Amino acid sequence: MNRFFKEFKEFAIKGNMVDMAVGIIIGASFNKMLNTLVDKIITPPLSLLTEGVQFQNKEWVLRNAVIGTDGEITSEKLAIGYGEFLQVMIDFFIIAIVVFSVVKLMNNLRKKSEDTEDKAVETPKNIVLLDNLNKLMAEQNKILKSTIKHNEK
């Protein structure tokens, strides 16, 4: 039992648990933000294009409900609710486009921050060091190639 707690402590201290928790919390918040964006900002203007049609209510009735002489339903209505499926698909495509746009923006910002030639953005030290190392290796390769060519003559 003591070994279990020791392993758990190492797991928690190394940051795995904290990283997972942060990822889950940010993911849940991002999901809430996307749902609000789709439901409250993007869908209302799109509903103007469909003249207020509510897709959730669209269905293909296979069998109508049967109501007995006493007014009670003896057989439930049987229907294919294609409208809700259409609404979910529309929501999915809107969310996919928004997520793609956000990821594309983040990738562009990351590329710009890692560009060592861009003087407007301060380059992180590890990128500068790697860039310097890359330049030194290129110079060393040129020297080695010229030395090899000189020795072959």
Side-chain angles (χ1 to χ4, degrees):
M1 192 65 153
N2 191 22
R3 181 177 173 202
F4 174 80
F5 286 118
K6 183 179 178 184
E7 287 179 22
F8 180 77
K9 181 180 171 185
E10 287 176 21
F11 168 76
I13 290 174
K14 286 183 180 177
N16 295 342
M17 189 167 64
V18 174
D19 291 345
M20 285 183 354
V22 168
I24 290 168
I25 291 167
I26 289 175
S29 296
F30 189 70
N31 184 40
K32 188 175 180 181
M33 181 189 70
L34 280 177
N35 287 335
T36 303
L37 178 69
V38 170
D39 293 342
K40 303 295 183 184
I41 295 174
I42 296 175
T43 302
L46 288 178
S47 68
L48 291 174
L49 298 173
T50 61
E51 297 180 9
V53 173
Q54 297 293 322
F55 286 113
Q56 295 93 338
N57 302 331
K58 299 294 181 187
E59 60 185 15
W60 181 26
V61 178
L62 300 174
R63 182 182 66 215
N64 287 319
V66 177
I67 300 174
T69 54
D70 58 352
E72 296 216 8
I73 298 174
T74 57
S75 178
E76 295 286 329
K77 173 176 73 171
L78 182 62
I80 296 174
Y82 69 90
E84 188 171 351
F85 178 71
L86 286 175
Q87 184 65 48
V88 169
M89 284 186 57
I90 291 168
D91 289 350
F92 169 78
F93 285 117
I94 292 170
I95 289 171
I97 289 169
V98 170
V99 168
F100 173 76
S101 300
V102 168
V103 169
K104 186 174 173 83
L105 174 70
M106 296 297 288
N107 284 340
N108 287 340
L109 291 174
R110 183 177 45 83
K111 283 180 187 175
K112 187 175 180 180
S113 72
E114 292 176 354
D115 185 7
T116 58
E117 303 301 319
D118 187 2
K119 301 301 177 196
V121 179
E122 184 178 341
T123 306
K125 288 183 180 180
N126 60 346
I127 303 284
V128 171
L129 291 173
L130 288 172
D131 188 49
N132 290 341
L133 187 64
N134 194 21
K135 288 176 183 174
L136 287 172
M137 289 176 67
E139 287 177 29
Q140 186 179 31
N141 284 338
K142 283 181 186 177
I143 293 170
L144 285 172
K145 285 179 183 178
S146 67
T147 304
I148 291 172
K149 285 182 182 178
H150 186 318
N151 288 340
E152 288 177 353
K153 290 181 182 183

